[in-house]
Amino acid sequence: SLSVLPASCTTEQGGDDDGGGKGGGVVKLWFLCLDADNERHYYFCHETNESQWTLPDKGYICPLGKVEPDHALTPEHTSNMEASEREALNDRLIPVAKGPLRYWGKRYDLFSMFDHGIEMDTSAWYSVTPEKLAKHQASEIVKMVLKNSQGRSDLRTDLTVLDGFCGVGGNSIQFALNWRFAQVYSCEITETTLHKGRANAKLYGVSSKINFMACDYFKHLQSIKASGRSCIDAIFLSPPWGGLSPPQNKGDVVKHFPGLPVGTGALVREALEVAPVVAIYIPKESKAAAIRDVMREANKMDSYHVDSYHVETNYLKTNKMKGGNRVPFAKTVYITRKTNEPFSV
């Protein structure tokens, strides 16, 4: 009944756009609110001041309360929700740890085509590599592969890259947009996240170049090694950094990322057994000594060794409050193995 709707609440979303942003429209930002008088939640649109009881068909949602580690809303917000509605809502939440509007304000840094229908989940807001940085990483990996290639490397347009933790496709899309790459293999263990990656790649027109695989990266790597042959020129790794609750000692988290079955030294070592070039995306706080320890651990193998590596500090913006100094965002470690011999077992 309309008589119990909160102030300004309507039953129509209004506007010419459907709220999804496709075709250049603006993606709406909705907040989950609680109507204390009716003891019922409702949805408030930040851009248009609209309100409605039902879950919006499109757009993104910010909860009114704190998001728990598993991204579930606080009980008072979900007590009257059906399980299906709660699940649909959780898939579209924006993290609130640092303020939802802060994440929302970075949407075009993550995907320049955000308003064309980019699909996200909660973890993507803090785990996707910003688009300009992902493009740069793709270019750097190309340079390293060509430098280590034999013959007329300047003519190669057949490179293959494996994205070990692709998420919603930020890096995979930029690999595919680089004309040097002919094929991108993208591993993602969560099928709903993989579906979003496929949809995003389609928006960028590169879905034909990306093979999205619903699989565990470590198992896929073992299957490549078991086959005795590898066509992979490079492996890109963006392991989980710890989500909204990263470890207190961020400088040493690079040694063993949360949730992974092996330490980072083993992670790099196993990747080098399959590809001559490996890049790993790590937190900006990673200590130089910790990175050196990882490389020493990676060298504990019989056939392949780290030939060289360099650490690149990634900057995205300038801090005007600090005299215009660039603000570090993350680090990327680029690694090559000592041998160019074809992979074999």
Side-chain angles (χ1 to χ4, degrees):
S1 172
L2 288 176
S3 61
V4 298
L5 288 171
S8 79
C9 215
T10 65
T11 55
E12 301 291 335
Q13 291 193 29
D16 296 328
D17 183 62
D18 63 0
K22 294 184 178 181
V26 177
V27 179
K28 295 179 180 179
L29 178 64
W30 295 83
F31 286 84
L32 176 61
C33 304
L34 185 67
D35 178 9
D37 293 335
N38 293 286
E39 297 184 348
R40 187 178 173 190
H41 64 270
Y42 65 97
Y43 301 93
F44 172 75
C45 181
H46 183 260
E47 286 83 4
T48 64
N49 289 326
E50 297 171 87
S51 299
Q52 61 186 53
W53 290 122
T54 57
L55 180 69
D57 292 334
K58 299 188 178 183
Y60 289 95
I61 307 291
C62 285
L64 189 64
K66 187 178 186 297
V67 176
E68 300 300 327
D70 62 354
H71 305 153
L73 290 170
T74 51
E76 61 266 27
H77 291 156
T78 57
S79 58
N80 295 321
M81 286 186 184
E82 297 291 336
S84 58
E85 182 183 8
R86 188 184 303 114
E87 182 178 353
L89 175 63
N90 285 351
D91 195 42
R92 292 157 51 192
L93 294 175
I94 298 176
V96 297
K98 297 180 181 179
L101 293 180
R102 176 175 176 178
Y103 285 100
W104 181 248
K106 295 180 178 180
R107 61 195 183 280
Y108 301 117
D109 291 337
L110 303 181
F111 290 100
S112 61
M113 294 185 66
F114 187 91
D115 283 346
H116 292 264
I118 287 294
E119 297 191 16
M120 301 277 281
D121 56 23
T122 306
S123 63
W125 288 97
Y126 55 80
S127 62
V128 171
T129 306
E131 186 172 285
K132 288 183 179 179
L133 177 52
K135 181 179 180 180
H136 168 76
Q137 290 169 331
S139 298
E140 288 298 304
I141 290 173
V142 165
K143 292 177 185 177
M144 294 183 64
V145 172
L146 296 183
K147 182 179 179 181
N148 286 274
S149 296
Q150 300 175 351
R152 298 296 303 276
S153 61
D154 57 320
L155 300 179
R156 290 195 63 183
T157 60
D158 61 345
L159 302 184
T160 300
V161 62
L162 172 62
D163 187 350
F165 307 91
C166 75
V168 297
N171 282 98
S172 293
I173 289 170
Q174 293 306 312
F175 285 130
L177 286 172
N178 189 302
W179 63 280
R180 293 282 191 177
F181 287 107
Q183 188 68 54
V184 181
Y185 293 97
S186 304
C187 298
E188 172 53 50
I189 199 168
T190 305
E191 289 199 27
T192 54
T193 303
L194 195 75
H195 175 78
K196 296 178 189 302
R198 286 197 184 101
N200 294 338
K202 186 175 181 180
L203 287 177
Y204 278 83
V206 292
S207 55
S208 63
K209 291 180 67 176
I210 306 177
N211 183 4
F212 284 100
M213 302 176 291
C215 66
D216 180 282
Y217 162 73
F218 298 97
K219 293 181 179 178
H220 181 66
L221 205 65
Q222 292 304 316
S223 67
I224 294 176
K225 292 165 66 176
S227 71
R229 298 183 63 84
S230 173
C231 62
I232 306 298
D233 294 294
I235 293 179
F236 177 80
L237 301 171
S238 179
W241 294 355
L244 294 175
S245 302
Q248 291 183 349
N249 192 357
K250 294 181 181 179
D252 290 326
V253 70
V254 68
K255 292 183 179 181
H256 195 143
F257 289 99
L260 297 190
V262 298
T264 308
L267 181 70
V268 171
R269 179 171 66 246
E270 293 179 5
L272 286 173
E273 292 177 1
V274 171
V277 172
V278 173
I280 182 166
Y281 187 47
I282 61 178
K284 63 183 179 182
E285 296 88 357
S286 300
K287 299 176 182 177
I291 296 173
R292 285 195 298 270
D293 289 343
V294 167
M295 295 302 113
R296 279 195 289 266
E297 179 66 26
N299 263 335
K300 294 180 179 179
M301 61 174 68
D302 296 329
S303 302
Y304 298 100
H305 300 271
V306 174
D307 180 27
S308 64
Y309 74 93
H310 69 273
V311 182
E312 179 184 77
T313 301
N314 306 125
Y315 300 87
L316 288 181
K317 294 185 177 180
T318 300
N319 191 335
K320 296 180 180 179
M321 299 296 291
K322 296 183 178 180
N325 294 329
R326 294 185 301 169
V327 178
F329 179 80
K331 292 180 179 179
T332 308
V333 185
Y334 300 95
I335 311 155
T336 58
R337 73 182 182 202
K338 190 165 291 186
T339 177
N340 271 329
E341 295 177 3
F343 168 78
S344 63
V345 292

